[in-house]
Amino acid sequence: MPGPSCKYRQPGYWEWTLGKQDVWNDLFVPPEQLETSVFINACAVDGQRLLLDSNWACHPGIESVLGFVQYVFLPTVCYYVLHPENGRLMTPVQSPPELLETIRRSDSPHRLAMSGFVYELSAVWRRSAETQWATLSSFCDRFNRYWECQDVLFSLNVFPNVEKVVFYLKEQVWCEELFQEEFGYTYSQLDELCRRFETEPFAKYLFLNWLNTRAGCLV
Protein backbone atom coordinates (compact mmCIF):
# COMPACT_ATOMS: atom_id res chain seq x y z
CA MET A 1 0.00 0.00 0.00
CA PRO A 2 1.52 3.35 -0.96
CA GLY A 3 2.27 5.82 1.81
CA PRO A 4 0.90 9.35 1.92
CA SER A 5 4.24 10.73 0.76
CA CYS A 6 4.08 8.89 -2.59
CA LYS A 7 4.93 11.53 -5.19
CA TYR A 8 2.32 10.22 -7.60
CA ARG A 9 -0.39 11.23 -5.10
CA GLN A 10 0.64 14.88 -5.12
CA PRO A 11 -1.21 17.26 -7.50
CA GLY A 12 1.87 19.48 -7.60
CA TYR A 13 3.92 16.64 -9.00
CA TRP A 14 1.53 16.26 -11.95
CA GLU A 15 1.39 19.99 -12.58
CA TRP A 16 5.18 20.04 -12.72
CA THR A 17 5.34 16.94 -14.92
CA LEU A 18 2.75 18.25 -17.40
CA GLY A 19 4.90 21.32 -17.81
CA LYS A 20 7.94 19.17 -18.61
CA GLN A 21 6.65 16.38 -20.87
CA ASP A 22 3.69 14.90 -22.71
CA VAL A 23 2.38 12.35 -20.23
CA TRP A 24 -0.36 11.21 -22.61
CA ASN A 25 1.72 9.42 -25.26
CA ASP A 26 5.27 9.03 -24.08
CA LEU A 27 7.64 6.89 -22.06
CA PHE A 28 6.97 8.29 -18.61
CA VAL A 29 10.60 7.80 -17.56
CA PRO A 30 13.76 7.26 -19.66
CA PRO A 31 13.92 3.72 -21.10
CA GLU A 32 16.89 2.70 -18.96
CA GLN A 33 14.77 3.37 -15.86
CA LEU A 34 11.87 1.19 -16.99
CA GLU A 35 12.39 -1.91 -14.88
CA THR A 36 8.63 -2.56 -14.91
CA SER A 37 6.67 -1.39 -17.95
CA VAL A 38 2.97 -0.69 -17.43
CA PHE A 39 0.89 0.55 -20.36
CA ILE A 40 -2.18 2.72 -20.50
CA ASN A 41 -4.43 3.55 -23.45
CA ALA A 42 -6.80 6.50 -23.03
CA CYS A 43 -9.33 7.32 -25.76
CA ALA A 44 -12.02 9.91 -26.38
CA VAL A 45 -14.44 9.89 -29.31
CA ASP A 46 -17.11 12.56 -29.84
CA GLY A 47 -18.75 12.77 -33.24
CA GLN A 48 -20.69 15.96 -32.44
CA ARG A 49 -17.57 17.90 -31.45
CA LEU A 50 -15.39 16.15 -34.07
CA LEU A 51 -13.04 14.70 -31.46
CA LEU A 52 -10.99 11.53 -31.95
CA ASP A 53 -8.14 11.23 -29.49
CA SER A 54 -6.18 8.12 -28.55
CA ASN A 55 -3.00 7.99 -26.52
CA TRP A 56 -0.67 5.19 -25.43
CA ALA A 57 1.82 5.78 -22.64
CA CYS A 58 4.27 3.59 -20.76
CA HIS A 59 4.62 4.02 -17.00
CA PRO A 60 7.13 2.56 -14.51
CA GLY A 61 4.52 1.02 -12.20
CA ILE A 62 0.93 0.98 -11.01
CA GLU A 63 1.33 3.94 -8.64
CA SER A 64 2.32 6.11 -11.59
CA VAL A 65 -0.72 4.88 -13.52
CA LEU A 66 -3.05 5.54 -10.57
CA GLY A 67 -1.68 9.05 -10.22
CA PHE A 68 -2.12 9.74 -13.93
CA VAL A 69 -5.71 8.50 -13.92
CA GLN A 70 -6.65 10.37 -10.75
CA TYR A 71 -4.94 13.71 -11.32
CA VAL A 72 -4.80 13.97 -15.11
CA PHE A 73 -7.24 11.63 -16.88
CA LEU A 74 -10.35 12.00 -14.69
CA PRO A 75 -10.08 15.82 -14.44
CA THR A 76 -9.70 15.95 -18.24
CA VAL A 77 -12.80 13.80 -18.74
CA CYS A 78 -14.78 15.82 -16.19
CA TYR A 79 -13.84 19.16 -17.71
CA TYR A 80 -14.84 17.97 -21.18
CA VAL A 81 -18.14 16.53 -19.99
CA LEU A 82 -19.04 19.48 -17.76
CA HIS A 83 -18.23 22.07 -20.44
CA PRO A 84 -20.08 20.96 -23.60
CA GLU A 85 -19.34 24.32 -25.22
CA ASN A 86 -15.65 23.45 -25.28
CA GLY A 87 -14.43 21.64 -28.39
CA ARG A 88 -11.12 20.29 -27.16
CA LEU A 89 -9.61 18.34 -24.29
CA MET A 90 -8.13 20.39 -21.47
CA THR A 91 -6.35 19.14 -18.35
CA PRO A 92 -6.97 21.03 -15.11
CA VAL A 93 -4.97 19.09 -12.51
CA GLN A 94 -7.21 18.70 -9.45
CA SER A 95 -7.12 16.74 -6.23
CA PRO A 96 -10.09 14.40 -5.58
CA PRO A 97 -11.79 16.88 -3.17
CA GLU A 98 -11.38 19.72 -5.68
CA LEU A 99 -12.70 17.56 -8.51
CA LEU A 100 -15.68 16.41 -6.45
CA GLU A 101 -16.53 20.03 -5.63
CA THR A 102 -16.35 20.94 -9.33
CA ILE A 103 -18.71 18.08 -10.14
CA ARG A 104 -21.07 18.99 -7.28
CA ARG A 105 -21.56 22.51 -8.65
CA SER A 106 -22.44 21.17 -12.09
CA ASP A 107 -25.87 20.34 -13.47
CA SER A 108 -24.42 17.75 -15.87
CA PRO A 109 -26.41 14.51 -16.22
CA HIS A 110 -23.10 12.70 -15.71
CA ARG A 111 -22.32 14.23 -12.31
CA LEU A 112 -23.36 11.21 -10.22
CA ALA A 113 -21.38 8.81 -12.39
CA MET A 114 -18.33 11.07 -12.37
CA SER A 115 -18.44 11.41 -8.58
CA GLY A 116 -18.64 7.65 -8.31
CA PHE A 117 -15.57 7.22 -10.52
CA VAL A 118 -13.57 9.65 -8.36
CA TYR A 119 -14.51 7.86 -5.13
CA GLU A 120 -13.88 4.44 -6.64
CA LEU A 121 -10.45 5.31 -7.95
CA SER A 122 -9.45 6.95 -4.67
CA ALA A 123 -10.24 3.66 -2.93
CA VAL A 124 -7.83 1.75 -5.18
CA TRP A 125 -4.88 3.47 -3.46
CA ARG A 126 -5.93 1.86 -0.16
CA ARG A 127 -5.76 -1.64 -1.57
CA SER A 128 -2.79 -3.90 -0.98
CA ALA A 129 -0.17 -4.03 -3.71
CA GLU A 130 -1.34 -7.56 -4.55
CA THR A 131 -4.92 -6.46 -5.29
CA GLN A 132 -4.42 -2.97 -6.75
CA TRP A 133 -4.05 -4.17 -10.30
CA ALA A 134 -7.21 -6.28 -10.30
CA THR A 135 -9.15 -3.43 -8.67
CA LEU A 136 -7.89 -0.92 -11.23
CA SER A 137 -8.84 -3.26 -14.07
CA SER A 138 -12.35 -3.57 -12.64
CA PHE A 139 -12.56 0.21 -12.43
CA CYS A 140 -11.62 0.48 -16.12
CA ASP A 141 -14.27 -2.08 -17.08
CA ARG A 142 -17.02 -0.15 -15.29
CA PHE A 143 -15.77 3.19 -16.59
CA ASN A 144 -15.78 1.93 -20.19
CA ARG A 145 -19.20 0.31 -19.93
CA TYR A 146 -20.75 3.56 -18.72
CA TRP A 147 -19.52 5.60 -21.68
CA GLU A 148 -20.54 2.98 -24.24
CA CYS A 149 -24.13 4.20 -23.82
CA GLN A 150 -23.39 7.94 -24.03
CA ASP A 151 -23.03 10.48 -26.83
CA VAL A 152 -19.31 10.80 -26.12
CA LEU A 153 -17.20 7.66 -25.79
CA PHE A 154 -14.33 7.53 -23.31
CA SER A 155 -12.29 4.42 -22.71
CA LEU A 156 -9.40 3.54 -20.43
CA ASN A 157 -7.40 0.33 -20.70
CA VAL A 158 -4.37 -0.71 -18.65
CA PHE A 159 -1.87 -3.48 -19.31
CA PRO A 160 0.67 -4.88 -16.80
CA ASN A 161 3.33 -5.63 -19.43
CA VAL A 162 4.16 -5.44 -23.13
CA GLU A 163 3.00 -9.01 -23.77
CA LYS A 164 -0.54 -8.15 -22.63
CA VAL A 165 -0.59 -5.17 -25.02
CA VAL A 166 0.40 -7.38 -27.96
CA PHE A 167 -2.19 -10.03 -27.02
CA TYR A 168 -4.90 -7.36 -26.77
CA LEU A 169 -4.04 -5.88 -30.16
CA LYS A 170 -4.06 -9.25 -31.89
CA GLU A 171 -7.53 -9.91 -30.48
CA GLN A 172 -8.89 -6.73 -32.06
CA VAL A 173 -8.20 -7.84 -35.66
CA TRP A 174 -9.72 -11.01 -37.02
CA CYS A 175 -6.79 -12.21 -39.16
CA GLU A 176 -3.04 -11.73 -39.48
CA GLU A 177 -3.22 -10.51 -43.09
CA LEU A 178 -5.53 -7.65 -42.12
CA PHE A 179 -3.40 -6.94 -39.06
CA GLN A 180 -0.29 -6.55 -41.23
CA GLU A 181 -2.14 -4.38 -43.72
CA GLU A 182 -3.48 -2.07 -41.02
CA PHE A 183 -0.52 -1.94 -38.62
CA GLY A 184 2.56 -2.74 -40.68
CA TYR A 185 3.71 -5.79 -38.70
CA THR A 186 3.20 -9.52 -39.01
CA TYR A 187 2.53 -11.32 -35.76
CA SER A 188 6.08 -12.69 -35.69
CA GLN A 189 7.57 -9.24 -36.33
CA LEU A 190 5.52 -7.76 -33.53
CA ASP A 191 6.51 -10.59 -31.21
CA GLU A 192 10.17 -9.92 -32.01
CA LEU A 193 9.74 -6.21 -31.23
CA CYS A 194 8.06 -7.22 -28.00
CA ARG A 195 11.10 -9.33 -27.03
CA ARG A 196 13.48 -6.51 -27.93
CA PHE A 197 11.43 -4.11 -25.82
CA GLU A 198 12.66 -5.82 -22.66
CA THR A 199 16.37 -5.24 -23.36
CA GLU A 200 16.84 -2.48 -25.95
CA PRO A 201 16.13 1.17 -25.08
CA PHE A 202 15.50 2.10 -28.73
CA ALA A 203 12.94 -0.71 -29.05
CA LYS A 204 10.97 0.91 -26.24
CA TYR A 205 10.71 4.14 -28.21
CA LEU A 206 9.94 2.23 -31.40
CA PHE A 207 7.15 0.20 -29.83
CA LEU A 208 5.47 3.17 -28.16
CA ASN A 209 5.72 5.25 -31.33
CA TRP A 210 4.09 2.40 -33.26
CA LEU A 211 1.27 2.23 -30.70
CA ASN A 212 0.51 5.93 -31.08
CA THR A 213 0.94 6.24 -34.86
CA ARG A 214 -0.37 2.90 -36.15
CA ALA A 215 -2.40 1.12 -33.45
CA GLY A 216 -4.16 4.27 -32.30
CA CYS A 217 -7.76 4.00 -31.20
CA LEU A 218 -9.37 0.57 -31.26
CA VAL A 219 -12.55 1.31 -29.29
Side-chain angles (χ1 to χ4, degrees), residues 36-43 55-62 65 133 136-137 140 144 155-172 207 211 216 218:
T36 302
S37 300
V38 179
F39 292 84
I40 184 167
N41 177 228
C43 298
N55 298 277
W56 289 84
C58 182
H59 287 253
I62 190 169
V65 170
W133 189 263
L136 178 59
S137 297
C140 291
N144 294 347
S155 72
L156 182 69
N157 292 291
V158 293
F159 306 89
N161 52 55
V162 65
E163 289 82 6
K164 293 292 185 181
V165 175
V166 171
F167 180 79
Y168 168 79
L169 293 174
K170 289 179 180 178
E171 281 194 319
Q172 306 308 304
F207 183 71
L211 286 176
L218 296 175

Side-chain angles (χ1 to χ4, degrees), residues 9 66 70 74 78 95-101 103-104 111-127 135 139 142:
R9 298 190 73 172
L66 284 173
Q70 185 157 72
L74 280 183
C78 283
S95 67
E98 291 171 333
L99 185 55
L100 287 169
E101 178 60 20
I103 296 170
R104 186 189 67 80
R111 62 187 182 278
L112 292 180
M114 292 306 305
S115 296
F117 293 140
V118 175
Y119 281 118
E120 185 177 355
L121 188 68
S122 297
V124 179
W125 289 99
R126 299 191 291 271
R127 293 280 186 168
T135 309
F139 167 85
R142 283 188 287 274

Side-chain angles (χ1 to χ4, degrees), residues 10 18 24 42-43 80 104 113 125 146 172 175-176 202 214:
Q10 311 302 320
L18 282 167
W24 291 92
C43 298
Y80 189 83
R104 186 189 67 80
W125 289 99
Y146 175 81
Q172 306 308 304
C175 74
E176 183 173 0
F202 179 73
R214 295 299 297 267

